[in-house]
Amino acid sequence: MHSTILQYLEETAENFPDKAAFADVEELYTYKKLVDAAKRIGSSIAEKVSRRSPVVIYMDKRAYNIPAFLGAVYAGCFYAPIDSRMPAERINLILNTLQPGLILYDDKTEKNLDSIAVQTEKLHYQTALDSDINETVLNSIRAAAKNTDLLYVLFTSGSTGIPKGVTISHSAVMDFMEWICDAYQLDETAALCNQAPFYFDASVPDLYIPLKTGATVYIPPQNYYTFPKKVLQYIEENKINTLFWVPSALCNTVNCKALEICAPQSVKLIVFCGEVMPCRHLNVWKKYIPNALYVNMYGPTEAVYACTYYNINREFANDEKLPLGRACSNCGIILLDGDQEITENGVTGEICILGQCLSQGYYNAPEKTCAVFTQSPLHTKWIEYIYRTGDLGYWNEKEELVFAGRKDFQIKRLGHRIELGEIEKVMLSMDELEYACCLFQEDGEEIIAVYAGKAAENEVRKTMSSKLPQYMLPQKYIHLDQMPMNLNGKIDRIKLKQNYTEEH
Ligand code: AMP
C-alpha cells in the first residue's frame, strides 16, 4: 500500500520520465519536470509553514497549478484551490474558515491580494519555483507522512451562507484511483481532456489518474467551453480518448450542435458525474460517437468523485432516467428511511455512503460535520461513520440505485452544487431588502430570486455580482410588495413555486 500520492507520482516519473503528464496550450509538464517543479515549490513552502498546514493555491487555471498542488503536498501540507475569478467576499469567508499557513499566487491574482482580509504568508509561484530543492527537508517530511494525512480541502456551497471545506485524505483518493483505473483499464495510453475547475471535485480524476498511470491530461483554456466546437477540435487534434465531464458540459455541446461539426472518434470512454444527465443529450452523443463507453457516476465531494457507477449498455429513451448503478468497490451504499432503518427494494430512502472513500469531515466546522457524518445506525459495536448525502434514492428490480431528488434546497446548476440559502443570505445582507427566497426552475436551469423591500433591482444585482461567483447569480429577479407566508410564519415557498416556476 502506498502511503501518499507522491509515491504514485515518483514511480510513474521513473517509468515515464519524458512522457507528457499535464499540458495546456502554452506549457507542457513531463513527469520528470513535474517532480522537479513540485519539489522546488515544496522546499520553498516548507521553509515558511509547518507540516499539516493548509496551503491556498490562488492562481489562474493552468497546467502549472498541478506542481503547485503537489508542492504543497511535498511540504507535508494539504492544498485548497481558489478560483482566480472568485469575488473577494467569498474568498475571505473561505480563508476565515481555513486560516491558511500560506497563499501561493501568480501574476493574474497578485492584484487581488490587497482585498484579502486574513493575515497570512503570501508567496509568488515563480519565487517558489526558482527555489533550490532541499532533499534533506523533503525526506524528513516524507518519513512522517501517513495515508490518513489530508491531501486537499475543497469548498462547497453551505446552507448557512458559509462555504464548507470538505477534507479528503491521501488514502481516500488512492482508494478511488485503484478502483477506477482497474475498472476501466486506465493506463499510460489514456489521454484526458480536463473540463472541471480544480476547486471542484469533478476534476479529481483528471489530477490523479495520470499520477497513478502515466496518462496525459490536456487542459484547454476555459473559454473553449463557451464554444464547444473548439473543445471538440482540440480533443481531435490531441487524440484524446477519455472524458470526465459534468453533464452540463456535455449538454452544452449538444445544445450548440457542435457534434454535428466535429465528433472525435478517438474518444472511447465518457464518464459524467455531479448531476442528472438527461437521456436526450446522451443519445445525441451516442449517435455521433457510437463506439465510446458512456458511464453515469454518482457521488458528492464528501466521497471522492463517485461512489456508484452505471455503465450504459442498453438504449434509453429520451424521457427515461439513467440509474446511478452499483457501489464502486471502495464504498458502500445504504438507504435509510425516516426511522433509520434500511429500506426495502423499491422504497425511497436517504442515500448514505460508507467506507474508505469518505471525507474526514468539514474543515474547522465540527458541528456541521457531526450533523451529516454519523455513526451507522445499523450497529453500535464499533465506530463506523456514514455520510448522509441528503439525496433520495431507491433500488430498482435489477438492484441498481436510482436517484429520486434532494431532501433539501440544494440544487445543481451548470454542474455546480449550490445551496439556495447561500444566495438568499447574500441578498438579505442588503439593508433595504426585507425578505428573499430563491427558487430553481429545473427546466432551463434558472435561479429565480424573489424579494421584498425597498432595494432597487439594479442595486440587488450589483451586490450579488460583487459577492457571489457567476454560476450562483440568479437569472431572474422578482420584486414583491409583500412576501407570502405560511402558517408557521415562514416564507411560503410552495406558493412562490406555484406562482413563479413552471413546475410545482
Ligand atoms: P458535489 O459535491 O458538487 O459533487 O455534488 C454532489 C451532489 O450532486 C449529490 O449529492 C447529488 O445531489 C448530485 N449528483 C451527483 N452525481 C449525480 C448523478 N449522477 N445524478 C444525479 N445527481 C447527482
Side-chain angles (χ1 to χ4, degrees), residues 19 39 71 145 152 156 170 187-188 200 222 251 380 394 416 445 459 474-475 493-495:
K19 194 167 176 294
K39 282 189 167 182
Y152 59 73
T156 68
H170 285 255
D187 58 20
E188 76 278 8
F200 188 11
Q222 244 350 57
C251 292
T380 51
Y394 60 88
H416 294 280
E445 295 216 333
E459 281 304 314
Q475 281 61 56
R493 286 179 180 268
I494 298 171
K495 192 159 184 185

Side-chain angles (χ1 to χ4, degrees), residues 339-351:
D339 297 325
Q340 305 307 304
E341 301 282 344
I342 299 250
T343 59
E344 293 185 11
N345 277 8
V347 177
T348 300
E350 180 174 6
I351 304 176

Side-chain angles (χ1 to χ4, degrees), residues 29 57 78 92 94 145 148 165 219 228 270 275 296 323-324 366-367 385 418 447 452 454 470 482 487:
Y29 280 86
I57 311 295
F78 50 94
N92 282 322
I94 291 176
T148 47
I219 307 168
I270 303 181
E275 60 191 329
N296 184 26
L324 304 179
E367 281 174 19
Y385 288 114
I418 301 168
I447 298 172
K454 281 193 252 130
Q470 185 74 20
Q482 220 171 10
L487 287 177

Side-chain angles (χ1 to χ4, degrees), residues 200-201 273-276 296-302 324 389 391 403 406 410 412 417:
F200 188 11
D201 145 269
C273 182
E275 60 191 329
V276 173
N296 184 26
M297 291 201 186
Y298 156 84
T301 309
E302 287 83 345
L324 304 179
T389 62
D391 291 326
F403 186 63
R406 290 279 317 160
Q410 192 183 86
K412 272 281 169 154
R417 165 170 152 186

Side-chain angles (χ1 to χ4, degrees), residues 220 223-225 227-235 237 258:
N223 64 7
Y224 276 27
Y225 285 93
F227 310 99
K229 188 184 83 178
K230 257 187 149 164
V231 192
L232 294 176
Q233 284 165 343
Y234 179 85
I235 290 175
E237 279 159 26

